[in-house]
Short mmCIF file of all heavy atoms in Angstrom, two decimals:
data_model
loop_
_atom_site.label_atom_id
_atom_site.label_comp_id
_atom_site.label_asym_id
_atom_site.label_seq_id
_atom_site.Cartn_x
_atom_site.Cartn_y
_atom_site.Cartn_z
N GLU A 271 -12.18 4.11 -0.89
CA GLU A 271 -12.42 5.47 -0.43
C GLU A 271 -11.53 6.00 0.57
O GLU A 271 -11.36 5.35 1.71
CB GLU A 271 -13.84 5.61 0.02
CG GLU A 271 -14.89 5.27 -1.14
CD GLU A 271 -14.88 6.23 -2.23
OE1 GLU A 271 -14.32 7.42 -2.15
OE2 GLU A 271 -15.48 5.90 -3.43
N ALA A 272 -10.71 7.01 0.31
CA ALA A 272 -9.76 7.51 1.27
C ALA A 272 -10.32 7.97 2.58
O ALA A 272 -9.65 7.89 3.65
CB ALA A 272 -8.83 8.63 0.57
N GLU A 273 -11.44 8.65 2.43
CA GLU A 273 -12.14 9.25 3.70
C GLU A 273 -12.55 8.10 4.68
O GLU A 273 -12.90 8.42 5.76
CB GLU A 273 -13.33 10.10 3.29
CG GLU A 273 -14.50 9.30 2.63
CD GLU A 273 -14.40 9.12 1.25
OE1 GLU A 273 -13.37 9.48 0.63
OE2 GLU A 273 -15.22 8.51 0.54
N ALA A 274 -12.56 6.83 4.12
CA ALA A 274 -13.03 5.85 5.06
C ALA A 274 -11.82 4.98 5.72
O ALA A 274 -11.99 4.21 6.43
CB ALA A 274 -13.88 4.75 4.28
N LEU A 275 -10.64 5.45 5.34
CA LEU A 275 -9.37 4.70 5.75
C LEU A 275 -8.86 5.39 7.03
O LEU A 275 -9.15 6.56 7.33
CB LEU A 275 -8.32 4.74 4.72
CG LEU A 275 -8.65 4.15 3.40
CD1 LEU A 275 -7.59 4.37 2.42
CD2 LEU A 275 -8.93 2.63 3.60
N ARG A 276 -8.15 4.58 7.85
CA ARG A 276 -7.49 4.93 9.07
C ARG A 276 -6.28 5.84 8.61
O ARG A 276 -5.54 5.38 7.72
CB ARG A 276 -7.17 3.92 9.95
CG ARG A 276 -6.50 4.18 11.22
CD ARG A 276 -6.31 3.15 12.20
NE ARG A 276 -5.60 1.93 11.53
CZ ARG A 276 -4.32 1.79 11.84
NH1 ARG A 276 -3.57 2.66 12.48
NH2 ARG A 276 -3.55 0.76 11.21
N PHE A 277 -5.93 6.83 9.37
CA PHE A 277 -4.75 7.68 9.02
C PHE A 277 -4.21 8.34 10.29
O PHE A 277 -4.80 8.41 11.28
CB PHE A 277 -5.11 8.81 7.90
CG PHE A 277 -6.07 9.87 8.45
CD1 PHE A 277 -5.62 10.97 9.07
CD2 PHE A 277 -7.42 9.52 8.25
CE1 PHE A 277 -6.52 11.88 9.50
CE2 PHE A 277 -8.34 10.57 8.67
CZ PHE A 277 -7.87 11.68 9.27
N GLU A 278 -2.93 8.64 10.14
CA GLU A 278 -2.14 9.40 11.19
C GLU A 278 -1.50 10.49 10.55
O GLU A 278 -1.09 10.40 9.34
CB GLU A 278 -1.06 8.46 11.79
CG GLU A 278 -1.65 7.28 12.57
CD GLU A 278 -0.62 6.41 13.09
OE1 GLU A 278 0.68 6.66 12.77
OE2 GLU A 278 -0.89 5.38 13.75
N VAL A 279 -1.46 11.68 11.17
CA VAL A 279 -0.78 12.93 10.71
C VAL A 279 0.21 13.38 11.81
O VAL A 279 -0.15 13.42 12.92
CB VAL A 279 -1.86 13.91 10.30
CG1 VAL A 279 -2.66 14.39 11.44
CG2 VAL A 279 -1.23 15.10 9.53
N ARG A 280 1.34 13.87 11.31
CA ARG A 280 2.53 14.23 12.34
C ARG A 280 2.88 15.72 12.03
O ARG A 280 3.82 16.19 12.74
CB ARG A 280 3.69 13.31 12.17
CG ARG A 280 3.29 11.99 12.63
CD ARG A 280 4.21 11.00 12.18
NE ARG A 280 3.69 9.48 12.43
CZ ARG A 280 4.33 8.46 11.92
NH1 ARG A 280 5.31 8.47 11.25
NH2 ARG A 280 3.71 7.30 12.13
N SER A 281 2.21 16.38 11.13
CA SER A 281 2.29 17.84 10.96
C SER A 281 1.09 18.29 10.27
O SER A 281 0.51 17.55 9.34
CB SER A 281 3.52 18.31 10.05
OG SER A 281 3.49 17.96 8.78
N GLY A 282 0.66 19.54 10.59
CA GLY A 282 -0.55 20.01 9.81
C GLY A 282 -1.72 19.37 10.42
O GLY A 282 -1.64 18.69 11.43
N THR A 283 -2.83 19.35 9.63
CA THR A 283 -4.09 18.74 10.01
C THR A 283 -4.75 18.03 8.96
O THR A 283 -4.49 18.40 7.84
CB THR A 283 -5.18 19.76 10.62
OG1 THR A 283 -5.39 20.78 9.69
CG2 THR A 283 -4.69 20.45 11.90
N ALA A 284 -5.42 16.78 9.19
CA ALA A 284 -6.12 16.12 8.21
C ALA A 284 -7.47 15.91 8.56
O ALA A 284 -7.83 15.46 9.79
CB ALA A 284 -5.34 14.79 7.93
N VAL A 285 -8.46 16.17 7.72
CA VAL A 285 -9.79 15.90 8.05
C VAL A 285 -10.61 15.21 6.70
O VAL A 285 -9.93 15.34 5.62
CB VAL A 285 -10.54 17.22 8.25
CG1 VAL A 285 -9.95 17.79 9.65
CG2 VAL A 285 -10.41 18.19 7.11
N VAL A 286 -11.81 14.86 6.89
CA VAL A 286 -12.51 14.42 5.87
C VAL A 286 -13.31 15.56 5.30
O VAL A 286 -14.00 16.36 6.11
CB VAL A 286 -13.54 13.35 6.10
CG1 VAL A 286 -14.51 12.90 5.02
CG2 VAL A 286 -12.67 12.04 6.61
N GLN A 287 -13.22 15.96 4.05
CA GLN A 287 -13.84 17.04 3.39
C GLN A 287 -15.09 16.61 2.40
O GLN A 287 -14.90 15.75 1.65
CB GLN A 287 -12.87 18.03 2.54
CG GLN A 287 -13.39 19.22 2.00
CD GLN A 287 -12.41 19.89 1.17
OE1 GLN A 287 -11.52 19.32 0.63
NE2 GLN A 287 -12.64 21.28 1.09
N GLU A 288 -16.18 17.32 2.59
CA GLU A 288 -17.29 17.08 1.75
C GLU A 288 -17.49 18.22 0.75
O GLU A 288 -17.14 19.37 1.20
CB GLU A 288 -18.47 16.78 2.50
CG GLU A 288 -18.51 15.67 3.46
CD GLU A 288 -19.88 15.32 4.05
OE1 GLU A 288 -20.91 15.69 3.51
OE2 GLU A 288 -19.87 14.70 5.03
N SER A 289 -17.83 18.07 -0.40
CA SER A 289 -18.04 19.09 -1.39
C SER A 289 -18.92 18.73 -2.68
O SER A 289 -19.23 17.37 -2.62
CB SER A 289 -16.63 19.60 -1.92
OG SER A 289 -16.77 20.58 -2.83
N THR A 290 -19.22 19.62 -3.50
CA THR A 290 -19.86 19.20 -4.72
C THR A 290 -18.83 18.89 -5.83
O THR A 290 -19.37 18.69 -7.03
CB THR A 290 -20.76 20.29 -5.22
OG1 THR A 290 -20.06 21.45 -5.15
CG2 THR A 290 -21.84 20.48 -4.07
N ILE A 291 -17.54 18.96 -5.60
CA ILE A 291 -16.62 18.59 -6.66
C ILE A 291 -16.88 17.02 -6.95
O ILE A 291 -17.40 16.35 -6.07
CB ILE A 291 -15.14 18.88 -6.21
CG1 ILE A 291 -14.19 18.74 -7.37
CG2 ILE A 291 -14.74 17.93 -5.04
CD1 ILE A 291 -12.77 19.15 -7.05
N GLU A 292 -16.35 16.58 -8.10
CA GLU A 292 -16.67 15.31 -8.45
C GLU A 292 -15.95 14.07 -7.85
O GLU A 292 -15.41 13.24 -8.49
CB GLU A 292 -16.55 15.07 -10.05
CG GLU A 292 -17.39 16.21 -10.79
CD GLU A 292 -18.88 15.96 -10.60
OE1 GLU A 292 -19.23 14.96 -10.37
OE2 GLU A 292 -19.61 17.00 -10.78
N TRP A 293 -15.77 14.22 -6.50
CA TRP A 293 -15.01 13.15 -5.74
C TRP A 293 -15.97 11.83 -5.90
O TRP A 293 -17.24 11.97 -5.72
CB TRP A 293 -14.70 13.53 -4.35
CG TRP A 293 -13.88 14.61 -4.20
CD1 TRP A 293 -12.60 14.76 -4.91
CD2 TRP A 293 -13.90 15.80 -3.38
NE1 TRP A 293 -11.85 15.90 -4.54
CE2 TRP A 293 -12.66 16.43 -3.51
CE3 TRP A 293 -14.75 16.16 -2.36
CZ2 TRP A 293 -12.34 17.59 -2.88
CZ3 TRP A 293 -14.47 17.13 -1.68
CH2 TRP A 293 -13.24 18.04 -1.81
N SER A 294 -15.42 10.73 -5.90
CA SER A 294 -16.10 9.50 -5.60
C SER A 294 -16.62 9.46 -4.18
O SER A 294 -15.94 9.89 -3.25
CB SER A 294 -15.21 8.21 -5.79
OG SER A 294 -15.87 7.02 -5.45
N ASP A 295 -17.85 9.17 -3.93
CA ASP A 295 -18.52 9.22 -2.70
C ASP A 295 -18.68 10.64 -2.21
O ASP A 295 -18.95 10.88 -1.11
CB ASP A 295 -17.91 8.32 -1.69
CG ASP A 295 -18.89 8.00 -0.60
OD1 ASP A 295 -20.03 7.86 -0.77
OD2 ASP A 295 -18.35 7.78 0.60
N GLU A 296 -18.35 11.54 -3.07
CA GLU A 296 -18.34 13.02 -2.69
C GLU A 296 -17.57 13.63 -1.48
O GLU A 296 -18.00 14.47 -0.88
CB GLU A 296 -19.89 13.55 -2.61
CG GLU A 296 -20.64 13.23 -3.93
CD GLU A 296 -22.04 13.59 -3.85
OE1 GLU A 296 -22.53 13.89 -2.68
OE2 GLU A 296 -22.64 13.78 -4.96
N ARG A 297 -16.45 12.75 -1.13
CA ARG A 297 -15.62 13.14 -0.16
C ARG A 297 -14.31 12.84 -0.44
O ARG A 297 -13.90 12.06 -1.24
CB ARG A 297 -16.08 12.43 1.22
CG ARG A 297 -17.48 12.72 1.73
CD ARG A 297 -17.78 12.07 2.91
NE ARG A 297 -17.89 10.63 2.76
CZ ARG A 297 -18.03 9.65 3.80
NH1 ARG A 297 -18.06 10.05 4.93
NH2 ARG A 297 -18.03 8.37 3.33
N GLN A 298 -13.32 13.53 0.28
CA GLN A 298 -11.89 13.24 0.13
C GLN A 298 -11.15 13.38 1.43
O GLN A 298 -11.80 13.96 2.47
CB GLN A 298 -11.31 14.09 -0.91
CG GLN A 298 -11.07 15.57 -0.36
CD GLN A 298 -9.96 16.33 -1.12
OE1 GLN A 298 -9.20 15.89 -1.85
NE2 GLN A 298 -9.79 17.62 -0.73
N LEU A 299 -9.95 12.73 1.63
CA LEU A 299 -9.15 12.96 2.74
C LEU A 299 -8.30 14.17 2.43
O LEU A 299 -7.51 14.23 1.40
CB LEU A 299 -8.14 11.75 2.94
CG LEU A 299 -7.24 11.89 4.14
CD1 LEU A 299 -7.86 12.10 5.47
CD2 LEU A 299 -6.46 10.54 4.16
N TRP A 300 -8.33 15.16 3.26
CA TRP A 300 -7.73 16.51 3.07
C TRP A 300 -6.65 16.87 4.07
O TRP A 300 -6.96 16.92 5.33
CB TRP A 300 -8.88 17.57 3.04
CG TRP A 300 -8.63 18.85 2.68
CD1 TRP A 300 -7.57 19.29 1.76
CD2 TRP A 300 -9.21 20.08 3.15
NE1 TRP A 300 -7.61 20.72 1.70
CE2 TRP A 300 -8.58 21.19 2.46
CE3 TRP A 300 -10.35 20.37 4.02
CZ2 TRP A 300 -9.11 22.46 2.73
CZ3 TRP A 300 -10.79 21.62 4.21
CH2 TRP A 300 -10.05 22.71 3.46
N TRP A 301 -5.41 16.98 3.56
CA TRP A 301 -4.30 17.36 4.50
C TRP A 301 -3.98 18.91 4.26
O TRP A 301 -3.61 19.31 3.17
CB TRP A 301 -3.19 16.50 4.13
CG TRP A 301 -1.96 16.57 5.15
CD1 TRP A 301 -2.01 16.87 6.43
CD2 TRP A 301 -0.63 16.11 4.84
NE1 TRP A 301 -0.83 16.79 7.01
CE2 TRP A 301 0.15 16.43 6.04
CE3 TRP A 301 -0.07 15.68 3.71
CZ2 TRP A 301 1.43 16.09 6.00
CZ3 TRP A 301 1.38 15.39 3.73
CH2 TRP A 301 2.09 15.67 4.98
N GLN A 302 -3.89 19.50 5.32
CA GLN A 302 -3.81 21.02 5.27
C GLN A 302 -2.42 21.44 6.03
O GLN A 302 -2.22 20.95 7.25
CB GLN A 302 -4.86 21.82 5.91
CG GLN A 302 -6.28 21.25 5.33
CD GLN A 302 -7.40 21.85 6.21
OE1 GLN A 302 -7.68 23.08 6.18
NE2 GLN A 302 -8.14 20.97 6.84
N ASP A 303 -1.78 22.37 5.44
CA ASP A 303 -0.61 23.02 6.24
C ASP A 303 0.42 22.12 6.72
O ASP A 303 0.93 22.37 7.76
CB ASP A 303 -1.14 23.97 7.27
CG ASP A 303 -2.16 25.00 6.72
OD1 ASP A 303 -1.84 25.71 5.71
OD2 ASP A 303 -3.25 25.07 7.37
N PRO A 304 0.87 21.12 5.93
CA PRO A 304 2.03 20.27 6.44
C PRO A 304 3.24 21.03 6.32
O PRO A 304 3.48 22.00 5.63
CB PRO A 304 2.01 19.09 5.36
CG PRO A 304 1.42 19.63 4.23
CD PRO A 304 0.45 20.71 4.57
N GLU A 305 4.18 20.65 7.28
CA GLU A 305 5.62 21.22 7.12
C GLU A 305 6.33 20.66 6.01
O GLU A 305 6.26 19.41 5.57
CB GLU A 305 6.32 20.96 8.49
CG GLU A 305 5.64 21.49 9.73
CD GLU A 305 6.37 21.13 11.03
OE1 GLU A 305 7.45 20.32 10.85
OE2 GLU A 305 5.93 21.49 11.93
N VAL A 306 7.11 21.36 5.31
CA VAL A 306 7.97 20.92 4.25
C VAL A 306 9.09 19.97 4.84
O VAL A 306 9.84 20.49 5.64
CB VAL A 306 8.60 22.12 3.43
CG1 VAL A 306 9.43 21.48 2.36
CG2 VAL A 306 7.52 22.96 2.84
N GLY A 307 9.11 18.71 4.37
CA GLY A 307 10.01 17.83 4.85
C GLY A 307 9.70 17.42 6.33
O GLY A 307 10.60 16.73 6.83
N GLY A 308 8.58 17.81 6.91
CA GLY A 308 8.35 17.45 8.23
C GLY A 308 7.47 16.11 8.34
O GLY A 308 7.61 15.19 7.51
N GLY A 309 6.79 16.04 9.40
CA GLY A 309 6.00 14.90 9.78
C GLY A 309 5.05 14.52 8.65
O GLY A 309 4.37 15.47 7.94
N PRO A 310 5.05 13.21 8.17
CA PRO A 310 4.12 12.81 7.09
C PRO A 310 2.74 12.57 7.54
O PRO A 310 2.23 12.60 8.70
CB PRO A 310 4.88 11.49 6.61
CG PRO A 310 5.29 10.97 7.97
CD PRO A 310 5.75 12.21 8.74
N LEU A 311 1.87 12.35 6.38
CA LEU A 311 0.52 11.85 6.48
C LEU A 311 0.72 10.24 6.21
O LEU A 311 1.29 10.02 5.13
CB LEU A 311 -0.41 12.47 5.54
CG LEU A 311 -1.75 11.80 5.28
CD1 LEU A 311 -2.57 11.87 6.58
CD2 LEU A 311 -2.46 12.50 4.02
#
């Protein structure tokens, strides 16, 4: 499960997102507004 993993982000923001979409464990790791060619997740 991605939401249970350690992560680092160097552009944009990354959070654990909950929803009713059919994600396993009903959560995902969500990366928002990264720079093109910029810091990775």
Side-chain angles (χ1 to χ4, degrees):
E271 299 292 344
E273 66 275 3
L275 298 176
R276 180 169 63 91
F277 63 86
E278 297 176 356
V279 63
R280 295 165 194 167
S281 71
T283 57
V285 297
V286 173
Q287 183 186 22
E288 298 187 24
S289 176
T290 55
I291 192 174
E292 305 297 334
W293 291 318
S294 177
D295 201 33
E296 297 180 346
R297 297 181 294 170
Q298 73 159 353
L299 178 58
W300 186 28
W301 190 24
Q302 307 166 70
D303 304 305
E305 297 175 2
V306 176
L311 166 70

